[in-house]
Amino acid sequence: MVTMSDVAKLSGVSKMTVSNVINGRAGVSDQVRRRVLEAIRQSGYRVNVSARTLRSGRTGVIGLAVPEIDRPYFGQLAAHVIDQARAHGFHVAIEQTGAAATGELEAITHSHILHFDGLILSAVGVDPQDSRLTAGDYPIVMLGEQNFEAKFDHVAMPNEEGTKAATTHLIDRGCRRIAIVTGSTLDGVNVVTRRYQGYLAALAERGLDADPALLYAVNGMTLESGRDAAHHLVDAGHEVDGVVAVTDTVAQGVLRGLADRGVRVPGDVRIVGFDDIPESAYMVPSLSTVAPDHRWMAAKAVELVTARMQDPSRPAREYTAPFDLMARESTR
């Protein structure tokens, strides 16, 4: 059987360095890490997970459950969580829930079955009052907009504050007929309702009425739905000089749809998105957007889940991510 000492000899490093690489600990250079991983590949070395779990009581794995892995925002979030978890000596296993309560509850069950040391769950569909949603002694950190009433550690997005800032930004640029392109679920507590409340708060604060004709609800947070929304707003003859989009992806679709109808951005209409996904800075025009501190959110979530491992009885804590408003070409 190939041992850790064999890997150390093959890669020309100490046994401790091999252990640090295997456990994802910081302090190992990329060059050395690659050399150790190549030695592991060549030698066929396998970690005895059962023995390590018996010694430490942990598997060294944190679960991350997100609604959709093919959305830019969640890909960006996962990358940050992986980086932060590695700094704490953990690996990350990613699961897709489909933004459904069944998928989210199954993610909790699977994390138990697979002996993950904790779970970071981006909750969308599950009801916080669901009797099946119990924390027990298992470390769970919730991401998202639901109100978990101090049952779980929770890291939230700055939904109301961010969308209020985005809408105010458009007003400050001279916009008075500001449409909001948002999701179809305007009941309950979720990302759509929270961001809509921020939009309404900004209008009220500046003495502007919310025109129901300027609310367009999309069926999905997709490029296509954003394009269709723009087509509708233009074809219906609504006088629009600003658009707040529920996400950057939807905002990109709105940009395409306005271009289809010969509407100039920002000359005729100004647009603000939400999320600051990387593509937003490189579009033509570049997209103004609410930029939550994604790295901060990932670091806080990992910090909370590891703290819960150390002390399962500690009181639950809730944090809201800081944000910036990135003013780019789409509102200039």
Side-chain angles (χ1 to χ4, degrees), residues 9-319:
K9 291 177 182 178
L10 183 60
S11 56
V13 300
S14 68
K15 185 177 175 181
M16 179 58 72
T17 298
V18 175
S19 176
N20 288 340
V21 171
I22 290 171
N23 290 290
R25 299 189 186 106
V28 180
S29 70
D30 290 341
Q31 182 180 5
V32 170
R33 188 182 301 277
R34 285 194 295 268
R35 194 160 75 238
V36 171
L37 291 174
E38 178 61 19
I40 290 173
R41 188 191 67 79
Q42 290 180 7
S43 65
Y45 174 73
R46 295 291 182 270
V47 177
N48 188 332
V49 176
S50 298
R52 184 172 69 176
T53 302
L54 287 173
R55 288 195 303 270
S56 66
R58 294 180 184 165
T59 59
V61 178
I62 295 172
L64 172 64
V66 298
E68 299 163 309
I69 59 175
D70 62 345
R71 293 285 180 260
Y73 166 73
F74 292 113
Q76 185 176 11
L77 173 67
H80 287 312
V81 169
I82 290 169
D83 286 343
Q84 296 298 325
R86 182 182 293 119
H88 287 264
F90 289 92
H91 296 280
V92 177
I94 301 174
E95 184 167 353
Q96 180 171 270
T97 64
T102 53
E104 291 163 6
L105 292 169
E106 286 173 1
I108 296 174
T109 301
H110 290 162
S111 65
H112 278 283
I113 294 173
L114 298 173
H115 299 288
F116 293 165
D117 296 324
L119 175 67
I120 299 171
L121 172 62
S122 182
V124 177
V126 70
D127 183 348
Q129 303 305 318
D130 193 316
S131 61
R132 296 169 293 175
L133 189 64
T134 56
D137 293 331
Y138 186 67
I140 299 177
V141 173
M142 295 293 189
L143 305 177
E145 290 67 41
Q146 299 276 21
N147 181 6
F148 293 98
E149 299 177 349
K151 294 179 182 178
F152 298 91
D153 292 313
H154 182 201
V155 181
M157 291 278 274
N159 293 293
E160 294 97 329
E161 306 95 323
T163 310
K164 181 179 178 182
T167 308
T168 301
H169 173 67
L170 289 176
I171 296 171
D172 289 342
R173 291 294 188 274
C175 299
R176 294 297 179 267
R177 295 280 295 170
I178 302 172
I180 182 166
V181 179
T182 187
S184 59
T185 309
L186 286 171
D187 296 318
V189 178
N190 52 62
V191 64
V192 173
T193 56
R194 288 190 183 275
R195 292 183 186 179
Y196 183 54
Q197 289 303 313
Y199 163 80
L200 293 177
L203 294 180
E205 188 174 278
R206 293 302 184 89
L208 298 176
D209 294 329
D211 185 345
L214 300 184
L215 166 65
Y216 188 87
V218 297
N219 292 324
M221 310 296 188
T222 65
L223 294 166
E224 182 178 6
S225 64
R227 183 194 62 192
D228 292 345
H231 289 172
H232 167 82
L233 290 170
V234 176
D235 295 346
H238 299 308
E239 295 181 5
V240 175
D241 56 12
V243 175
V244 175
V246 66
T247 68
D248 281 0
T249 299
V250 171
Q252 290 173 10
V254 171
L255 278 169
R256 177 68 263 171
L258 292 177
D260 292 344
R261 296 298 191 261
V263 178
R264 299 170 302 156
V265 176
D268 301 317
V269 176
R270 292 179 167 88
I271 301 177
V272 182
F274 197 117
D275 286 334
D276 194 29
I277 60 176
E279 294 84 353
S280 296
Y282 296 93
M283 299 166 54
V284 179
S286 56
L287 180 66
S288 296
T289 182
V290 178
D293 192 332
H294 302 293
R295 187 175 297 277
W296 184 95
M297 290 183 67
K300 184 60 67 176
V302 173
E303 173 192 317
L304 288 171
V305 78
T306 54
R308 180 69 56 185
M309 295 175 199
Q310 300 292 333
D311 182 7
S313 63
R314 61 187 285 278
R317 298 175 184 174
E318 182 170 0
Y319 298 90

